[in-house]
Structure formats: C-alpha cells, structure tokens
Amino acid sequence: MSWAVLGMGPVGQRFADELEGAGRQVVVYDPVPGRCAGHRVADSAAAAVESATWVLSAVPAAACDTAAQAVGRAAGEDTHLVDISSAEPEAKRTAARRLPDGRYVDATLLDAITVETPLVCLSGPHREAAAAALAGLGLEIVSAGPQVGTAARVKLLRSLVMKPLELLTIELMARARDLDPEGIALRSVERSLRTPFRTVAHDFLTSNRLHAGRRAAELVAAAAAVAAPGSAPVYAPMAEGLARLAERWREPGAPAADAPAELLLTHLSPDGGSGR
C-alpha cells in the first residue's frame, strides 16, 4: 500500500510519520519544501499522487478542490483520496466530483493532532475501505455515513461549542491573571465540570495562539451551515471576540507561538500583568 500526503503542516506531518512508522510507502508534497524534511519528497502534487494507491489531503480548506483536481488528473483509476482538510460540506462535495466511483472520502479531525489518539470522522461510499487503510496509525476512527459532506458537517457542529468555549476560557484565564491569582475560579469550574479543566484551558490558550487567525471565520461558517435558525445573535459576538484575540496576537511585542502559557496570559491581561 503506497500513500501520498499533500500538505505538510502539523496534520500532514503527523500522518506521514505514522504511515511510515507502520511500514507504508509514503511520498509527500508541500509548496514549502522545508516542511517535508525527513520524508521522500515529490516536486509537485501530481508527481506525488501518480503512483499512490491512497492520497491524504491535509491542505488548507481553500485548496481542497485544487488538491482533488490534481488527484483526479494524475492518479490511477483505483486511487482513493482521503480529504482531511477543514473545508465546508459543499466544498467537499464539489471536490468529490473530481474523482469518479466514490473514491473521495470526506474526513475530519475532531481533536488536536497532538493528542495521543486523535478522533477522525469519515463519510462517503468508501469510508470503510479508508478506515481499513488508516488502521494501525493510532487513530480512533468513526463513521458518519455514506454521504460526502456529513463528516465535514459534524466538525462544524462541534465548532458551535468548541470555538465559543475556547473564547470564554481564555477570557477567564486572562482576567484571573490579575483578579484571581490563586486560580480559585478556574478550580471551581473544574469541580463543576468534573474534568481536569485546567489542562483543557491551557490547551485552548496555546491552540488559539497558533490558530486564532482562522477561528472567527470557522465559527461564522459553522453558524451559517448548521446552527438553528435565528441563532446568529448568539454566535456573532463570539466570532467578534475570536477576531479580537487574533488581533491581540498580531500586536507588536506579542509572544511567540511557542511561548509559555504564563507569558501568553500576561500579554492578554488587561493591565499587562502589572496588577493595577
């Protein structure tokens, strides 16, 4: 079984590493060659997929159709494409038309790629074949049914909770930096939710520092696609809040993406951590 991985961001790198670790033949492509270090690299998407039996597309959402076109033109008649981009359902249905015979599999990542066993949701006619091909990679795989776009819709539905929760959690942490230095409020939240929420809160903060630029757009898209009619007034302020966080991370002097959580919070706290 040979694989091509298109897009070598954190998701593509994790999959390429896992596939190689499982003994699969893997060739990768990314327009930024430095991301492909340590892997067998093709000089184009077409060259990467031409001899692959399976292709994983981990490209940005806006490029999902372009990647599907490349697979449709260059890959063999039996090649399957697993598209794990964050594209919306209609975009994935459009991309699916680039490959005949249902060889396009809609995939969504429902956890951070850094967790030990990420949850991956699949939909489409060949979802079971894709699940078998992905077996042994340290994933938890669930099926959303035979229709392309269903897995993408599941991710949007998840976003209706996770994006606002991320915003609210970061707001709590930033305010508590000065108003509750003992962390009592966060401890109370943790007791109420009966979960190690302080770990979750830290993950929200570091994830937002990395991905804040797209969080607001993702929530707007999710609200438009799957939220109940009339709920726009609920989600619009949340999207605005996420957009403001993205602006804060772009400010001069903002901590780097890999900065410690305490430094990230100091930057977000209203008085810059001075305690005033």
Side-chain angles (χ1 to χ4, degrees):
M1 184 184 297
S2 59
W3 280 81
V5 177
L6 305 180
M8 288 293 285
V11 174
Q13 290 181 19
R14 167 78 180 259
F15 273 86
D17 289 343
E18 294 284 356
L19 287 164
E20 290 175 350
R24 319 284 170 82
Q25 298 180 34
V26 181
V27 61
V28 305
Y29 172 73
D30 191 286
V32 181
R35 294 178 174 173
C36 302
H39 300 278
R40 181 184 168 201
V41 184
D43 59 10
S44 68
V49 307
E50 61 184 3
S51 60
T53 52
W54 287 89
V55 178
L56 180 87
S57 177
V59 301
C64 92
D65 189 46
T66 301
Q69 289 183 60
V71 176
R73 287 193 301 263
E77 294 182 357
D78 296 325
T79 300
H80 289 70
L81 170 61
V82 179
D83 183 355
I84 202 165
S85 72
S86 296
E88 297 175 28
E90 187 55 40
K92 289 201 167 184
R93 286 190 284 268
T94 297
R97 291 193 280 271
R98 308 295 183 183
L99 282 83
D101 305 321
R103 293 183 288 115
Y104 177 100
V105 180
D106 174 14
T108 57
L109 181 66
L110 299 177
D111 287 323
I113 193 59
T114 54
V115 305
E116 184 176 354
T117 308
L119 181 64
V120 175
C121 181
L122 305 177
S123 69
H126 289 196
R127 66 196 181 283
E128 293 180 1
L134 293 168
L137 302 186
L139 308 170
E140 181 178 348
I141 299 176
V142 294
S143 170
Q147 302 298 320
V148 168
T150 308
R153 191 171 64 208
V154 167
K155 183 159 188 171
L156 290 177
L157 190 60
R158 172 185 181 273
S159 291
L160 293 181
V161 172
M162 298 304 290
K163 300 297 187 296
L165 186 57
E166 179 177 301
L167 173 67
L168 293 172
T169 300
I170 294 173
E171 176 69 11
L172 168 61
M173 295 173 72
R175 295 296 289 165
R177 171 68 175 73
D178 301 312
L179 301 179
D180 180 22
E182 299 299 323
I184 299 169
L186 193 57
R187 179 185 176 190
S188 174
V189 170
E190 188 170 60
R191 289 168 62 88
S192 297
L193 296 179
R194 300 179 184 179
T195 184
F197 192 69
R198 277 169 283 196
T199 300
V200 176
H202 180 275
D203 290 344
F204 276 146
L205 178 63
T206 54
S207 177
N208 185 269
R209 177 63 185 91
L210 285 169
H211 305 297
R214 57 183 173 84
R215 290 293 200 245
E218 289 172 347
L219 181 55
V220 169
V226 298
S231 63
V234 173
Y235 293 105
M238 297 290 184
E240 292 171 3
L242 289 167
R244 286 195 295 272
L245 276 176
E247 292 173 1
R248 293 296 307 274
W249 298 130
R250 290 193 293 267
E251 291 174 350
D258 59 352
E262 182 63 22
L263 189 56
L264 299 177
L265 288 176
T266 298
H267 180 72
L268 293 179
S269 62
D271 62 11
S274 66
R276 295 192 299 271

